[in-house]
């Protein structure tokens, strides 16, 4: 059981522990994380600005922003998952993904990740390296349905390989993916 798993060789992905993040990489990490954290509050800020200053430009921007939810989003965009920004984020948070046992390529798995919250950084970072960890599997995920109704977040989570967390999507993902 537990003792056998602890004695096994651990496989780590996601972070180069021998390398310290440069000042430029830290700046890129902090700036892009700031943008990520501001995405959900942008519509409220634009609405407040439009009302307080009677700005038709802010209102037009708000309408354009909300219209992005209507645009189709590619699911599981490999180029997005492999972009350098996620590597910088993993380095910034000293994130690593550890597997205690080998996953059999012939079996299907459901991986539950927690804790997670309003800004799920750990599951996002794990999603950018999980296919390196278990290359014989096609990995899909489900995420809170409300992010797919939020401007820009819909595309962000779709590109990570997520779908709205409905029973139908979960069952469909089990049929399509190997993990």
């Amino acid at each position: 059981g537990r003792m056998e798993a602890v004695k096994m060789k651990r496989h780590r992905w996601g972070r180069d522990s021998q390398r310290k993040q440069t000042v430029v990489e830290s700046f890129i990490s902090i700036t892009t994380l700031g943008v990520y954290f501001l995405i959900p509050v942008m519509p409220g800020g634009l609405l407040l600005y439009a009302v307080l200053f009677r700005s038709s430009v802010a209102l037009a921007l708000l309408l354009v922003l909300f219209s992005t939810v209507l645009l189709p989003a590619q699911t599981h965009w490999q180029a997005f998952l492999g972009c350098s920004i996620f590597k910088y984020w993993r380095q910034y948070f000293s994130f690593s993904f550890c597997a205690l046992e080998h996953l059999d390529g012939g079996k299907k798995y459901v991986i539950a990740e927690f804790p997670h919250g309003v800004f799920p950084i750990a599951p996002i970072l794990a999603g950018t390296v999980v296919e390196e960890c278990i290359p014989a599997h096609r990995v899909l995920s489900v995420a809170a349905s409300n992010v797919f109704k939020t401007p820009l977040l819909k595309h962000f989570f779709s590109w990570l390989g997520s779908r709205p967390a409905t029973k139908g999507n979960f069952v469909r993902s089990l049929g399509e993916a190997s993990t």
Side-chain angles (χ1 to χ4, degrees), residues 47-169:
L47 181 61
L48 185 64
Y49 186 87
V51 170
L52 290 177
F53 298 101
R54 300 178 199 264
S55 172
S56 57
V57 172
L59 191 57
L61 284 173
L62 186 62
L63 291 173
V64 168
L65 185 63
F66 271 104
S67 69
T68 63
V69 174
L70 301 174
L71 298 172
Q74 177 181 343
T75 301
H76 201 265
W77 185 15
Q78 196 59 47
F80 180 71
L81 292 169
C83 80
S84 295
I85 290 171
F86 293 125
K87 181 180 81 175
Y88 298 153
W89 286 10
R90 290 190 301 266
Q91 195 71 25
Y92 181 79
F93 287 112
S94 298
F95 177 86
S96 65
F97 191 97
C98 178
L100 296 177
E101 63 182 77
H102 177 75
L103 298 179
D104 181 355
K107 294 182 179 178
K108 289 191 174 200
Y109 297 93
V110 174
I111 300 172
E113 260 189 281
F114 56 89
H116 57 274
V118 178
F119 296 105
I121 294 298
I124 288 171
L125 296 179
T128 65
V129 294
V130 72
E131 288 185 358
E132 292 175 40
C133 304
I134 45 177
H137 290 79
R138 181 162 181 252
V139 181
L140 295 172
S141 65
V142 292
S145 298
N146 61 337
V147 300
F148 295 93
K149 298 173 185 161
T150 305
L152 306 178
L153 285 182
K154 170 189 176 182
H155 291 82
F156 184 86
F157 279 91
S158 292
W159 295 339
L160 287 172
S162 293
R163 298 173 175 170
T166 64
K167 181 180 178 181
N169 281 338

Side-chain angles (χ1 to χ4, degrees), residues 18-38:
Q18 306 301 316
R19 188 177 159 287
K20 186 170 169 63
Q21 191 170 44
T22 67
V23 172
V24 171
E25 292 168 343
S26 292
F27 176 78
I28 292 169
S29 297
I30 292 167
T31 303
T32 55
L33 282 164
V35 169
Y36 170 71
F37 289 129
L38 286 175

